[in-house]
Amino acid sequence: MLPDKLKSELKARIAHAVTNREAAVDVIKELQRHYGWLTDEAVAEAAALLGLTPLQVEELATFYEMIYRRPVGKRVIHVCDSISCWAMGGESLMAHLATAFGIEPGGTTADGLFTLLPCCCLGNCGEAPTLMVGDTLHGRVTPERAAEILAAERQALASKEG
């Protein structure tokens, strides 16, 4: 169930949009941020707030690869698999991360911290290979640099919880 404060904020965003559909992605992203992923409950809540059917919200949510319809780790790692990143070692980077985490692409680490996902393009071709952790983009990522990035993410998560 949505906290009243969040519900009010979302209603205000919807009221400022030209149409409810214009605000839909923003509402979905906020609900995902609140729940950690877009739960069935969140789909129903978004539909009620937006005046859409749950099916319309579901169709929108499944169109975007950064909207998660299943549980994900506390940090999602998107590894770009565009042609530019692939040519610059993105495939090897993905394999390295999968091995380091002991999971397949699409999986979540046993501790629930990281989910590893391929992404069709992160728009950072000139800095290939690229990955994104949460909302932070990292370019020219080597396996060594990836280890540094993920160690910093682990530390940030630990200090947030501790």
Side-chain angles (χ1 to χ4, degrees):
M1 187 162 144
L2 282 178
D4 289 337
K5 182 180 178 189
L6 179 57
K7 194 175 205 175
S8 295
E9 289 172 12
L10 293 175
K11 284 181 178 181
R13 289 183 193 185
I14 294 166
H16 283 89
V18 175
T19 68
N20 289 5
R21 285 181 181 266
E22 179 186 317
V25 172
D26 190 37
V27 168
I28 289 169
K29 286 173 65 177
E30 280 303 317
L31 291 173
Q32 177 172 278
R33 196 173 347 270
H34 174 72
Y35 290 109
W37 59 289
L38 194 67
T39 64
D40 291 342
E41 178 184 3
V43 169
E45 290 168 339
L49 286 167
L50 293 161
L52 301 173
T53 66
L55 178 59
Q56 288 171 313
V57 173
E58 177 73 21
E59 289 171 343
L60 185 61
T62 57
F63 178 78
Y64 293 101
E65 68 181 339
M66 291 189 188
I67 302 295
Y68 314 117
R69 287 294 285 130
R70 62 182 176 84
V72 292
K74 292 183 184 202
R75 293 283 195 275
V76 177
I77 303 164
H78 288 276
V79 179
C80 185
D81 66 0
S82 71
I83 189 69
S84 298
C85 284
W86 177 81
M88 297 302 292
E91 187 175 27
S92 298
L93 179 61
M94 176 64 90
H96 170 77
L97 290 169
T99 299
F101 286 139
I103 59 174
E104 294 293 319
T108 299
T109 57
D111 59 9
L113 291 182
F114 299 109
T115 296
L116 182 62
L117 296 172
C119 184
C120 67
C121 185
L122 291 171
N124 198 34
C125 300
E127 298 289 316
T130 297
L131 63 79
M132 187 166 72
V133 182
D135 294 328
T136 306
L137 196 62
H138 301 275
R140 299 183 193 237
V141 180
T142 62
E144 296 78 21
R145 179 75 181 116
E148 293 169 9
I149 292 165
L150 298 175
E153 289 292 334
R154 279 186 193 280
Q155 186 174 21
L157 287 167
S159 66
K160 191 176 183 181
E161 291 176 0

